[in-house]
Amino acid sequence: EAREFLKFEPNEILKGKIIVTLFFENSTRTRSSFEIAAKRLGAEVVSLDVSTSSTSKGETIFDTVANINAMKPDAIIIRHSECGLPESLTGYVDCPIINAGDGKHAHPTQALLDLFTIYEHFEGQTEGKKIAIVGDVRNSRVAGSNRRLLPRFGIDVNLVAPDCFKYEGDEFKQFDTIQEIIDDMDIVMSLRSQLERHNITYFESLQEYAKDFCITSELMERKEFLLLHPGPVNRNIDITDEVLKHPRCKVLEQVTNGVAIRASILKKLILEDR
Ligand code: NCD
C-alpha cells in the first residue's frame, strides 16, 4: 500500500477525519511527514503547540490527552521523552494513538520506513541480508525499533559502537569497528549521537568519535552496501559530505518513503482496525 501512496496522487481516503499531533520533543521530519501524509489523504491536522499547552500549567499528560480525546479526534500522534508513554495513554482514549518516538525506547514508523526502503531496494529479498547499525545504538529509539522489526524479515542485525554506546542486551552481535564487518554487510544504518539523552560527556569532541564511526567514501568503495540514516545527520560526524551525495546513500529517499508509510499507517489505523 505504501508503494501505491508513493505515486502521491490526490485522494480523499480520510476526508472529514481530524488528526491531532502532540510533539513534546523536537522534530523536523517526523511531524511534517505525518502532517503531509494526513493532508495527502484529505484529513485535517490540528497540531497542539505543547509549549503553550496546559501541560505547562501543571496538567498531567494523561489529563491533556483525555481532554483532546473528549473532542473526538480520529487519531492522536504523540512524541514524548518518556519511554512507554504512548502505549500507556491508549487506555485514556477512544482513537488510535500513534507513537512518533518515545525517549530512547521506540520509533516504530521510522523502522517501518527503513524496512520499506530496504524492501524496495532488494525487491522484497530481505531474507539473509546483513545490516550494521552504527553509532549510539544504546540511546537511539530508531535502533530500538529496527532491532525488533528487521529480524522478522530475516535481516541479520549487527551493532557497531564504541563501548559507551554499546547495547546492553546480548541478543545481537556487537562490534567495535565498522572496518571489521563491512565486507560482509548489505546495509549500513548510521545513527546520530543522542547528545540530549546523555548525562555525561563521553568524547572530548564528536570529531574524535567520527574518526572511527563516520561513513566515508573509502567505506562506500570497499563494499556495495545500501546506506541509511534516519536524520538529522551530523555532517562529517555520521556521514561525510561526499558520501551524502552518493547514489547508494538513501537518506532523502527514506524521507519520501516515510510519507508513504505514514499514509498507509493512518489509513489502516483510522479506517480498518477500529
Ligand atoms: C530520529 C528521532 O527523533 O528519533 N529522527 C527521526 O525521527 N527521523 C533520530 C534522531 O533524533 O537522531
Side-chain angles (χ1 to χ4, degrees):
E1 192 145 62
R3 196 180 288 141
E4 256 327 282
F5 286 131
L6 266 185
K7 295 179 186 156
F8 288 94
E9 282 164 3
N11 65 70
E12 301 198 331
I13 293 170
L14 294 183
K15 189 175 161 61
K17 305 291 181 191
I18 296 184
I19 296 167
V20 176
T21 67
L22 276 172
F23 276 67
F24 291 90
E25 276 194 341
N26 296 342
S27 172
T28 308
R29 269 151 295 268
T30 306
R31 178 166 159 180
S32 44
S33 177
F34 267 116
E35 291 187 2
I36 289 172
K39 289 182 181 197
R40 290 276 183 201
L41 303 187
E44 302 274 347
V45 179
V46 174
S47 298
L48 194 81
D49 180 356
V50 292
S51 61
T52 57
S53 82
S54 291
T55 325
S56 58
K57 296 186 192 168
E59 185 175 66
T60 71
I61 175 82
F62 295 95
D63 287 336
T64 303
V65 168
N67 277 271
I68 299 280
N69 179 63
M71 299 178 210
K72 310 291 176 199
D74 296 287
I76 297 173
I77 298 165
I78 184 160
R79 168 170 285 191
H80 199 278
S81 58
E82 204 177 309
C83 300
L85 184 82
E87 189 170 16
S88 58
L89 288 170
T90 55
Y92 292 75
V93 300
D94 308 305
C95 65
I97 291 261
I98 301 171
N99 182 359
D102 58 337
K104 300 177 186 181
H105 174 235
H107 193 349
T109 63
Q110 177 69 43
L112 284 166
L113 80 87
D114 294 335
L115 173 67
F116 179 39
T117 308
I118 295 168
Y119 192 91
E120 292 302 86
H121 182 81
F122 293 106
E123 295 173 344
Q125 304 300 308
T126 57
E127 194 66 42
K129 293 290 181 295
K130 294 182 195 305
I131 187 169
I133 305 184
V134 183
D136 195 352
V137 293
R138 177 182 294 177
N139 299 295
S140 161
R141 55 192 172 207
V142 176
S145 283
N146 273 299
R147 275 196 302 266
R148 291 186 276 272
L149 180 65
L150 300 182
R152 295 195 213 168
F153 288 79
I155 299 174
D156 177 46
V157 173
N158 300 274
L159 307 176
V160 181
D163 285 346
C164 57
F165 292 163
K166 284 221 162 46
Y167 171 60
E168 281 141 332
D170 59 6
E171 325 86 280
F172 300 98
K173 283 164 278 171
Q174 301 215 52
F175 300 87
D176 300 322
T177 65
I178 180 76
Q179 279 77 13
E180 64 194 281
I181 52 165
I182 192 68
D183 295 331
D184 215 20
M185 293 298 115
D186 304 293
I187 311 147
V188 171
M189 178 181 291
S190 167
L191 298 172
R192 181 181 67 90
S193 295
Q194 305 285 297
L195 298 177
E196 71 279 25
R197 303 191 200 285
H198 304 158
N199 38 26
I200 53 169
T201 308
Y202 291 111
F203 292 95
E204 255 178 60
S205 69
L206 278 179
Q207 279 71 24
E208 275 305 303
Y209 163 88
K211 279 186 199 157
D212 295 321
F213 299 97
C214 186
I215 309 301
T216 60
S217 299
E218 191 195 327
L219 285 170
M220 295 301 284
E221 278 156 30
R222 198 162 134 188
K223 175 78 207 292
E224 198 167 307
F225 57 85
L226 188 69
L227 178 60
L228 306 179
H229 191 300
V233 175
N234 281 337
R235 280 178 175 261
N236 303 310
I237 307 288
D238 305 339
I239 300 177
T240 63
D241 286 337
E242 208 180 356
V243 171
L244 279 166
K245 291 182 262 173
H246 196 287
R248 272 186 282 116
C249 174
K250 300 294 179 189
V251 174
L252 293 178
E253 195 173 310
Q254 285 172 272
V255 176
T256 305
N257 287 344
V259 176
I261 272 286
R262 292 185 174 107
S264 322
I265 291 166
L266 291 172
K267 179 184 172 205
K268 179 168 177 57
L269 294 180
I270 295 174
L271 296 186
E272 296 171 23
D273 266 0
R274 311 288 302 168

